Amino acid sequence: MNQTWVLGQRALREAWRTPEAILPTLFIPLFFLVVNVGQAARIFPSASTDFLNGQSYGAFQLPASLLLAASFGTAALYLVEDIEGGYFDKLRAAPVSRAALVLGRLFAEFVKGVVIAVAIIALGMVFGIEIASGPLGFVLLVLLTALWAVVFVGLLQLIALKTRNAAATNSGSLIFFPLMFLTPNFVPRELLTRPMEIAATFNPVTYLMESQRSLILDDLDWGTIWPGFAVVLVVGAIMLAANVRLINHYD
Amino acid sequence: MSGAAVEAQGLVKTYKGRGGEVEAVKGVDLRIEPGEIFGFLGPNGAGKSTTVRMLTTLLTITRGSATVAGVDVARDPDQARRRMGVALQEAGLDPRQTGRELLVLQARLFGMGGGEAAERAGELLRLVELEDAADRLIKGYSGGMKRRLDLASALVHRPEVLFLDEPTTGLDPASRITVWEEVRRINELGTTVFLTTQYLEEADQLCGRLAIIDGGLIVREGTPESLKAELRERTGLSHDPTLDDVFLDATGRTRAKAEGAVSEVVA
């Protein structure tokens, strides 16, 4: 645990010293929020759109921006840099738990996820979005976003460890597009066309998005909230097991 | 330390390639005594780095066994890592940390508390004369400074055996001599040094004993003097052979001299 903490601190220092890698994580999701709201808000006026529960269309779009921000983790690319530069071997030659080598970066990604989620939600609140589920809902929303950031970057770390190549790792992040857009991104699932609804039902990110949306638009509705956490825990457990297995067999 | 500082028996490493298995190291036997500076030479692709990576727990051993400071590197890699320091080719450093941060981090990974780690980092920065640059980001260091910092980071836990894989490759002559001085100083403090190099002059200057590997097998082993004497006796050379002559002879290469120019020809 101590080694994970020490390596996590190093990864956080690295992030602090490369603000140019963090700023797009904040800017691009906000850009998409503004653009999506600008394009569709007049179709869904808050007064006559039931699924908005009296809030603006921006509140409905906020989860998409949070998930977009959570998918911009840099840990996998920094890991490839460590591998290519030889520092990863330096760490492997120390008596460090192999799991700590990947967990340290994931811990840092969680902290970054919390900071970015708080910043985006706070900005949303400045522009009138309310978190209907209250302070506990706010905490759960931040937690869910940060945990997904860890899961997503952990999946990219698998590609980094397997290929040891920056281009391949970068290409791996393209999986974000089907995951993000085969979801009820613009309207609730029941309003999607049938093929899109089927695709969204099989996409685990749908449940995350619906969970986040519920935390923003509804009182604490545990029936909708828990599937999001279940997705993060199940996919996260698989991701962690695969990372540890891969690093234990890293030659 | 009782027994050998480094011992390898029948060390083999095979890789799976497209055309079947490739044997990079074909059965290396080594014994290095405590306190030695041992040179490990060989042409590119001979198996030097693969052998070092197996000895330092970075590569799994296909067959055979190895101990460092009496600890089996395959059976108890964590304990072996505590006894050895490793500075690999291309100083592996994190450019976004300062020299001091890197050493403190390394010390903490070896189990030191915050205060002790900071103190040890200070000692090492003095040892490698990097105090003035200690709080600068490593990305601004010169090649020689990076090498010295890499050496310092390999020493953070006071290892019994230090592995240096081509520690002076790419350095200018002045930086190379500084690294040699560091290596001698470290050895005088009691650390066994296992050094791979492509520079025969470096091996001649630093190493009490050396081995030459070619095609994954050790083809010569002994002190520089004994290897030169053996070559002179065996070939009846009229002049005193250099370590270059020993290396060329051991690796099946010849040196053809034509009108003062020297060219290397594979036999």
Side-chain angles (χ1 to χ4, degrees), chain A residues 30 33 55 58-59 62 117-132 134-135 138 141-142 216:
Chain A
L30 288 171
L33 183 62
Q55 290 219 50
L62 185 59
V118 167
I120 292 176
I121 298 167
L123 269 170
M125 290 171 80
V126 168
F127 287 97
I129 295 172
E130 287 174 26
I131 307 302
F138 180 93
L141 186 58
V142 170
I216 296 166

Side-chain angles (χ1 to χ4, degrees), chain B residues 160-173:
Chain B
E160 292 166 59
V161 181
L162 177 63
F163 287 91
L164 301 175
D165 193 8
E166 302 195 7
T168 60
T169 297
L171 294 189
D172 62 68

Side-chain angles (χ1 to χ4, degrees), chain A residues 2-3 5-7 9-10 13-14 17-18 78 81-82 85-98 250-251, chain B residues 13 53 58-60 78 81-82 86-88 90-94 96-98 101-102 105-106 108-110 137 150 153-154:
Chain A
N2 184 46
Q3 292 173 334
W5 170 238
V6 169
L7 290 167
Q9 282 178 306
R10 176 224 162 195
R13 260 199 312 268
E14 188 177 68
R17 284 174 185 161
T18 44
Y78 284 137
E81 263 189 34
D82 278 353
Y87 190 57
F88 191 61
D89 277 341
K90 189 97 188 160
L91 295 174
R92 289 201 308 130
V96 181
S97 133
R98 305 294 95 169
Y250 187 99
D251 227 2
Chain B
K13 181 66 190 179
R53 291 176 74 81
L58 294 172
L59 265 184
T60 53
D78 248 28
R81 288 175 192 132
R82 288 180 195 284
V86 181
L88 297 168
E90 310 277 328
L93 303 168
D94 174 5
R96 291 187 196 88
Q97 292 188 82
T98 67
E101 284 167 351
L102 183 116
L105 173 79
Q106 193 73 4
R108 297 206 62 190
L109 293 178
F110 275 90
L137 292 182
D150 197 24
S153 78

Side-chain angles (χ1 to χ4, degrees), chain B residues 204-230:
Chain B
D204 221 357
Q205 287 277 335
L206 285 175
C207 303
R209 214 159 56 85
L210 52 89
I212 300 172
I213 185 170
D214 191 31
L217 286 167
I218 303 271
V219 290
R220 295 284 186 283
E221 191 175 350
T223 63
E225 292 70 31
S226 70
L227 292 172
K228 290 176 204 168
E230 186 274 334

